[in-house]
Amino acid sequence: MAAHSSMSAHNLSHMTAAAVSSSSSMHDADSDPRELEQFAETFKQRRVKLGVTQADVGKALANLKIAGVGSLSQSTICRFESLTLSHNNMVALKPVLHAWLDQAEKEAKIRAKEGSPGSESSALSGDKKRKRTSIAAPEKRRLEFFFASQPRPSGEKIAGIADQLELKKNVVRVWFCNQRQKQKRMKFAAVQHR
């Protein structure tokens, strides 16, 4: 794991240099934390819609032939989407991911026009797999609010929440299960660090 982290940090430092040299001046909008947060959310939504995994994005970056940018780990893409990279690394990674996203969406449109069977994900993985559901930030905040008041809602309550948020009942059910597991892990980690 440490090797991946140092590799990612090494790649990101090169990207910073490449990003700075490729643009004559960095726009303030590119480094605005709210703009970065919005881009990260939009990036994740569009990536999931394309049916591409974080690991696939990391590997595909090498194919773009951007100076100083090789492939990145799935962990780095995940940390970008969850806003847990440093601000400077987020700023450096944004134009690279933007370039990849534009290219991936162009290729998807071409495949759609040509009538190519299958999506990007089935072409990459070779088997049919259920698409991962991405929950937008406003819905996620509402789910967190519901979870704080009732971490184990009944099936009826889950159906009501799903209707309110316009999500599938199963998506809400799984989100609550995952959130309970996350709480358990956090409690366990807190006990271990005492």
Side-chain angles (χ1 to χ4, degrees):
M1 187 71 175
H4 273 296
S5 297
S6 63
M7 175 68 168
S8 297
H10 178 72
N11 282 347
L12 287 173
S13 65
H14 281 290
M15 279 190 285
T16 304
V20 170
S21 67
S22 68
S23 63
S24 57
S25 67
M26 253 187 174
H27 300 290
D28 288 336
D30 288 343
S31 61
D32 176 17
R34 290 179 304 262
E35 210 291 314
L36 286 170
E37 183 178 351
Q38 179 59 48
F39 176 76
E41 178 70 25
T42 302
F43 174 82
K44 181 179 179 182
Q45 297 279 338
R46 290 164 65 186
R47 175 187 61 75
V48 169
K49 186 175 179 182
L50 286 168
V52 180
T53 67
Q54 292 168 335
D56 292 334
V57 173
K59 290 174 198 163
L61 288 175
N63 298 334
L64 284 181
K65 308 278 189 269
I66 298 173
V69 180
S71 65
L72 294 172
S73 68
Q74 174 271 332
S75 176
T76 301
I77 305 304
C78 178
R79 290 177 64 213
F80 180 88
E81 290 180 353
S82 63
L83 307 170
T84 55
L85 284 176
S86 72
H87 178 76
N88 289 342
N89 285 343
M90 292 285 294
V91 170
L93 197 49
K94 182 186 172 209
V96 174
L97 292 178
H98 199 284
W100 172 82
L101 187 59
D102 288 346
Q103 184 66 32
E105 287 179 332
K106 283 178 192 169
E107 290 172 9
K109 284 179 184 173
I110 290 169
R111 278 193 308 278
K113 283 181 183 175
E114 292 172 352
S116 299
S119 67
E120 176 104 10
S121 61
S122 63
L124 291 170
S125 65
D127 61 321
K128 292 203 174 191
K129 188 174 152 184
R130 184 184 62 81
K131 268 189 163 181
R132 182 179 178 93
T133 302
S134 183
I135 301 172
E139 287 80 10
K140 193 173 179 181
R141 284 191 292 273
R142 298 275 309 279
L143 284 167
E144 288 166 349
F145 172 79
F146 288 124
F147 184 84
S149 64
Q150 176 57 272
R152 291 190 170 275
S154 66
E156 191 176 297
K157 182 75 172 168
I158 287 174
I161 293 169
D163 286 343
Q164 282 182 34
L165 301 178
E166 297 178 1
L167 295 169
K168 292 180 181 172
K169 181 180 175 183
N170 196 49
V171 168
V172 173
R173 183 188 63 75
V174 168
W175 185 90
F176 271 89
C177 289
N178 290 343
Q179 200 67 9
R180 286 192 297 270
Q181 289 303 314
K182 182 178 176 183
Q183 294 292 321
K184 275 186 185 177
R185 283 193 306 273
M186 288 168 47
K187 283 180 185 174
F188 181 74
V191 168
Q192 296 290 53
H193 292 295
R194 284 187 190 178

